[in-house]
Amino acid sequence: MNTLAHEGPGPWILFFPLIWAAVVVGVVTVLRRTGVWRGGRTGRRGPWQERVSHSESSPIAMLGRRFASGEIDEEEYWRRLSVLDEQFGRTASKGGAA
């Protein structure tokens, strides 16, 4: 009588750790994509995910509308936006030098 106990587990022993690794990777992926891992909607965001919302009547929104309608060119838009960002935008809220 020849059983598996005498020959060892064979290559199938690698199958179970691979399944567990796939489960862990899947759970981490799902958590990161749903935002649970990062704290959901109220969680902290990195600097690349910073979103600044401007109301319809803010100077930055008005500048964007003027650029979109063709009243000002791209160079003028970026020049004015850099000035407005220092006063109303991201730069002033970070506590940097103004």
Side-chain angles (χ1 to χ4, degrees):
M1 184 162 129
N2 197 2
T3 63
L4 290 177
H6 295 289
E7 295 179 18
W12 290 101
I13 193 78
L14 298 175
F15 185 67
F16 295 107
L18 289 176
I19 288 178
W20 280 110
V23 168
V24 169
V25 167
V27 167
V28 168
T29 302
V30 167
L31 290 176
R32 290 191 76 189
R33 288 191 179 260
T34 59
V36 173
W37 190 279
R38 293 178 294 225
R41 294 182 182 175
T42 60
R44 294 186 336 223
R45 291 186 171 145
W48 61 91
Q49 296 170 326
E50 183 175 328
R51 291 190 177 106
V52 178
S53 61
H54 299 290
S55 67
E56 292 280 326
S57 62
S58 74
I60 294 176
M62 290 172 52
L63 180 66
R65 281 194 298 276
R66 289 185 63 197
F67 176 64
S69 68
E71 291 179 39
I72 57 175
D73 62 351
E74 184 177 3
E75 182 180 323
E76 180 81 9
Y77 171 77
W78 287 112
R79 188 168 48 92
R80 290 182 183 214
L81 182 63
S82 66
V83 172
L84 290 175
D85 261 347
E86 289 176 6
Q87 294 176 358
F88 301 103
R90 295 177 293 265
T91 308
S93 65
K94 286 185 181 176

